[in-house]
């Protein structure tokens, strides 16, 4: 069965220069393992391919039941010089939550 | 006012009254009035804010501080004097000394005795060398022809003399955001700057506070999933920290918002590039050892921060003139709205192609924020076309809005609500500077509170 991440996690987007930081946090602590297995850096890079031009690095933060995705080249050249409407990429958290993963 | 808990351990309570330059005014007043705080931090400098402030200072030497400084101080000064609260803020921006003078003007008008400290020394523009590396691009400082500003991120150590001076209001330029909150704690609790565990604890506290409402339910609420009570009256947070570095986050009674594991987890990771190495001028903090627990409703206890010694270099934020951005918008609604908006976009691309190498065309309501729609949705009833491009000259940037507006009579049927904008663009990149080369300085200004004769 497929589930949207929106049903399993909450997310906040932050920015540093041209890098978007996406914090994916399990809504229920017991789902952290599921997220860790299913939401890989490669899958996030593919899901956000039309936004993220560079690499995606994932940090595991088990004490917060969270995964931190560092998405390089995601902000149209950088917050301060981007032509994008959402130059900070503040809305990208909800783009990540659109991802679907397979659950038992 | 220091409370005493347990075996005579003082607790310092510090509030966060602004998380960005344009933040709401009222919550800081509520914190000062009934938050039972001793310090109020106001974090008002984003990446390019100081460069924009420097542009204002170049036009007027008495300018260059935060545009909302005086509005905030009009509201806060009477309250902080009554409650014995001291303000620490980076609202000095590109001109902390002028900011201090301006705040004294407010104090004189109110007949308030006030001591203001200005912390300078973050401006390192004259120190930059063309060969200094740009961290983001792999290029050099010399690649940028029109530098506007260069400011080193100062740490808590730079603020300590100002806090020790007893000033009611401390105004700095560029200071690392968490350091604004760490410095008063270091002063009050007599911490050693080399004590990495405590520096990490105070940095975690500062990081959780620095965006104000973002830890109490702001940038968070999602109806039905993450509901926030009494959202309109969102309260701003305080932290109460003890000698061992453990602290509790809370907010004033009778304010809206929520503080719980969800809001704290989101904010702890906000803008963090490496959870094991959160680098500030004070410490390299490890957030993966932090423990958080709900201590009471709207009270979260935080402990377990760890860290490594502070870096030998300071990060420098460099602002450069990046030309002008022209923008135009126009809306379409009703039958075939999406196709008419698309036709308008394609037409503009052709009409502007000769003048602009890069043109951004968005359909607001379809793809403007995420670049595409992740789910198939019914065609939107209305859609707004947005076009943006960059130019070296203002006049050229204006062409974009002019062409969008001309869609009224030269575009698809039923285009309405055209708007056009041009703004000067300041880009920001970073480099590093050796810590020893940066010399923070302190300026004190005082008024005894006589009413000015106006």
């Amino acid at each position: 069965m497929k589930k949207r991440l929106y049903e399993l996690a909450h997310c906040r987007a932050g920015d540093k220069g041209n890098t978007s930081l996406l914090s994916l946090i399990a809504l229920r602590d017991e789902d952290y393992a599921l997220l860790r297995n299913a939401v890989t850096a490669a899958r996030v890079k593919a899901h956000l391919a039309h936004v993220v031009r560079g690499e995606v690095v994932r940090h595991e933060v088990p004490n917060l039941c969270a995964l931190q995705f560092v998405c390089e080249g995601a902000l149209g050249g950088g917050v301060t010089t981007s032509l994008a409407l959402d130059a900070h990429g503040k809305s990208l958290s909800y783009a990540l939550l659109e991802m679907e993963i397979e659950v038992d | 006012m220091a409370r005493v808990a347990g075996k005579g351990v003082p607790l310092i309570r510090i509030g966060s009254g602004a998380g960005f330059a344009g933040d709401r005014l009222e919550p800081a007043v509520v914190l000062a009035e009934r938050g039972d705080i001793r310090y109020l931090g106001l974090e008002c400098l984003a990446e390019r804010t100081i460069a924009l402030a420097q542009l204002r200072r170049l036009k007027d030497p008495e300018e260059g501080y935060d545009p909302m400084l005086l509005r905030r101080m009009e509201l806060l000064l009477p309250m902080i004097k009554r409650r014995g609260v001291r303000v620490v803020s980076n609202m000095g921006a590109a001109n902390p000394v002028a900011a201090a003078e301006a705040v004294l003007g407010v104090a004189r008008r109110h007949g308030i005795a006030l001591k203001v400290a200005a912390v300078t020394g973050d401006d390192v523009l004259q120190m930059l060398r063309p060969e200094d590396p740009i961290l983001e691009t792999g290029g050099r400082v010399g690649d940028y022809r029109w530098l506007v500003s260069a400011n080193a991120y100062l740490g808590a150590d730079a603020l300590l003399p100002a806090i020790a001076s007893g000033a009611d209001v401390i105004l700095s330029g560029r200071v690392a955001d968490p350091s604004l909150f760490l410095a008063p704690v270091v002063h009050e609790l007599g911490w050693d700057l080399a004590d990495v565990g405590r520096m990490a604890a105070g940095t975690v506290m500062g990081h959780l506070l620095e965006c104000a409402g973002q830890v109490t339910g702001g940038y968070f609420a999602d109806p039905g999933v993450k509901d926030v009570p009494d959202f309109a009256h969102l309260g701003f947070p305080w932290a109460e920290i003890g000698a061992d570095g453990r602290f509790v986050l809370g907010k004033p009674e009778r304010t809206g918002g929520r503080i719980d594991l969800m809001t704290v987890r989101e904010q702890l990771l906000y803008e963090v590039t490496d959870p094991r190495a959160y680098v500030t001028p004070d410490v390299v903090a490890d957030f993966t050892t932090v423990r958080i627990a709900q201590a009471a409703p709207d009270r979260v206890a935080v402990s377990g921060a760890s860290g490594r010694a502070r870096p030998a270099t300071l990060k420098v934020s460099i602002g450069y003139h990046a030309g002008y951005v022209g923008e135009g918008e126009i809306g379409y609604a009703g039958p075939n709205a999406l196709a008419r908006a698309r036709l308008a976009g394609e037409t503009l691309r052709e009409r502007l192609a000769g003048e602009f190498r890069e043109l951004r065309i968005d359909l607001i309501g379809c793809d403007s924020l995420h670049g595409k729609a992740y789910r198939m949705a019914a065609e939107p009833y209305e859609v707004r076309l947005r076009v943006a491009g960059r130019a070296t000259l203002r006049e050229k940037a204006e062409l974009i809005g002019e062409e969008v507006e001309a869609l009224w009579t030269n575009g698809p049927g039923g285009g309405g609500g055209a708007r056009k904008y041009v703004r000067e663009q300041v880009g920001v990149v970073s480099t590093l500077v050796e810590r020893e080369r940066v010399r923070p300085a302190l300026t004190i200004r005082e008024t005894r509170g006589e009413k000015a004769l106006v």
Side-chain angles (χ1 to χ4, degrees):
Chain A
M1 188 178 69
K2 277 184 189 291
K3 262 193 175 174
R4 256 200 307 164
L5 286 183
Y6 186 60
E7 294 173 63
L8 297 164
H10 56 121
C11 186
R12 175 168 293 195
D15 60 276
K16 279 273 181 265
N18 197 18
T19 301
S20 175
L21 296 318
L22 298 174
S23 314
L24 188 73
I25 306 164
L27 284 169
R28 301 180 311 158
D29 288 1
E30 54 268 34
D31 286 334
Y32 173 63
L34 171 66
L35 296 178
R36 196 184 53 204
N37 291 333
V39 192
T40 60
R43 284 218 55 199
V44 169
K45 186 171 161 62
H47 180 72
L48 298 173
H50 61 291
V51 179
V52 178
R53 305 273 174 250
E55 290 307 305
V56 173
V57 173
R58 185 181 89 165
H59 297 281
E60 295 178 17
V61 195
N63 55 320
L64 304 178
C65 299
L67 299 169
Q68 185 80 339
F69 294 94
V70 181
C71 309
E72 293 171 2
L75 300 177
V79 172
T80 53
T81 52
S82 167
L83 291 177
L85 197 56
D86 178 15
H88 297 85
K90 286 186 181 285
S91 68
L92 291 178
S93 47
Y94 283 82
L96 180 55
L97 291 176
E98 288 283 356
M99 185 195 282
E100 286 185 330
I101 61 168
E102 201 66 48
V103 294
D104 296 330
Chain B
M1 240 162 83
R3 272 162 298 272
V4 170
K7 301 162 190 167
V9 181
L11 294 170
I12 304 302
R13 192 185 279 196
I14 179 163
S16 174
F20 81 110
D23 213 337
R24 303 187 61 242
L25 300 170
E26 178 69 16
V29 182
V30 172
L31 268 174
E33 184 181 13
R34 49 189 177 85
D36 204 10
I37 55 172
R38 291 180 70 188
Y39 288 88
L40 179 65
L42 302 166
E43 196 291 292
C44 296
L45 281 183
E47 272 186 314
R48 68 178 157 196
T49 322
I50 209 158
L52 298 173
Q54 182 63 29
L55 287 177
R56 293 197 302 278
R57 184 181 182 170
L58 290 173
K59 288 173 191 154
D60 177 355
E62 300 303 308
E63 256 291 346
Y65 51 84
D66 184 284
M68 281 174 78
L69 172 69
L70 301 186
R71 281 172 71 193
R72 292 192 194 280
M73 289 300 154
E74 283 282 349
L75 290 170
L76 283 171
L77 285 188
M79 194 59 74
I80 65 165
K81 288 301 284 191
R82 200 175 309 150
R83 298 287 181 193
V85 176
R86 301 173 69 191
V87 170
V88 184
S89 176
N90 52 13
M91 275 191 291
N95 203 347
V97 174
E101 297 282 2
V103 170
L104 284 190
V106 176
R108 287 192 193 100
R109 275 205 307 285
H110 286 272
I112 293 171
L114 198 76
K115 185 170 178 178
V116 185
V119 177
T120 52
D122 59 310
D123 183 345
V124 295
L125 187 58
Q126 301 309 318
M127 273 181 217
L128 291 188
R129 298 160 295 207
E131 67 273 20
D132 288 337
I134 297 294
L135 301 181
E136 290 83 358
T137 62
R140 304 279 158 192
V141 165
D143 300 345
Y144 297 88
R145 259 185 283 173
W146 190 351
L147 296 185
V148 173
S149 62
N151 296 78
Y153 282 81
L154 304 180
D157 53 338
L159 293 171
L160 287 178
I163 296 172
S165 78
D168 303 289
V169 176
I170 293 132
L171 297 171
S172 72
R174 183 60 82 189
V175 168
D177 299 350
S179 310
L180 287 173
F181 301 90
L182 170 62
V185 175
V186 168
H187 172 79
E188 292 289 336
L189 298 177
W191 284 357
D192 180 350
L193 292 171
D195 181 340
V196 290
R198 286 188 171 80
M199 291 307 109
T203 296
V204 168
M205 181 202 75
H207 175 65
L208 286 169
L209 289 176
E210 71 181 62
C211 294
Q214 280 199 182
V215 79
T216 59
Y219 196 39
F220 176 86
D222 189 352
V225 181
K226 300 190 290 179
D227 289 303
V228 177
D230 195 16
F231 202 28
H233 303 102
L234 188 72
F236 280 6
W238 49 250
E240 193 165 74
I241 189 163
D244 59 1
R246 287 187 293 179
F247 64 91
V248 172
L249 286 171
K251 66 184 185 66
E253 302 303 320
R254 305 187 308 284
T255 57
R258 61 187 253 190
I259 301 182
D260 57 23
L261 299 189
M262 289 179 82
T263 65
V264 172
R265 283 172 174 178
E266 282 198 17
Q267 188 54 28
L268 188 56
L269 290 173
Y270 179 65
E271 293 187 335
V272 172
T273 17
D274 184 349
R276 280 169 200 80
Y278 180 78
V279 183
T280 78
D282 307 308
V283 71
V284 178
D286 184 345
F287 290 177
T288 65
T289 59
V290 169
R291 292 183 297 276
I292 59 177
Q294 192 84 46
D298 290 328
R299 299 284 183 277
V300 167
V302 184
S303 61
S306 57
R308 303 192 299 279
R310 65 186 198 180
T313 50
L314 298 178
K315 184 176 157 183
V316 174
S317 206
I318 301 171
Y320 64 95
H321 186 71
Y324 296 85
V325 170
E327 285 180 86
E329 291 182 8
I330 188 164
Y332 298 88
N336 220 20
L338 188 56
R340 283 180 285 128
R342 285 211 170 102
L343 173 61
E346 289 155 17
T347 306
L348 282 175
R349 200 182 279 287
E350 276 192 65
R351 288 179 184 164
L352 290 165
E355 298 287 343
F356 294 90
R357 189 165 46 88
E358 186 190 1
L359 212 54
R360 166 111 184 181
I361 297 189
D362 295 309
L363 294 172
I364 298 174
C366 297
D367 62 5
S368 68
L369 296 176
H370 290 171
K372 71 172 190 184
Y374 277 89
R375 277 172 290 125
M376 292 303 288
E379 182 163 320
Y381 183 78
E382 61 177 49
V383 59
R384 192 159 175 80
L385 173 76
R386 170 184 179 266
V387 184
R390 191 180 298 112
T392 311
L393 298 175
R394 176 179 286 274
E395 292 70 22
K396 192 171 152 188
E398 283 169 352
L399 288 178
I400 293 190
E402 287 165 12
E403 282 289 2
V404 170
E405 197 174 63
L407 289 172
W408 269 335
T409 56
N410 299 267
R419 295 284 186 280
K420 54 184 182 182
Y421 317 92
V422 172
R423 57 194 158 83
E424 190 170 359
Q425 195 165 48
V426 171
V428 172
V429 289
S430 316
T431 188
L432 298 171
V433 63
E434 299 78 22
R435 187 181 282 276
E436 301 73 40
R437 297 178 65 206
V438 179
R439 298 276 159 81
L442 175 62
T443 306
I444 301 283
R445 294 283 189 267
E446 240 174 312
T447 173
R448 286 185 292 172
E450 297 91 348
K451 287 239 187 205
L453 298 170
V454 183

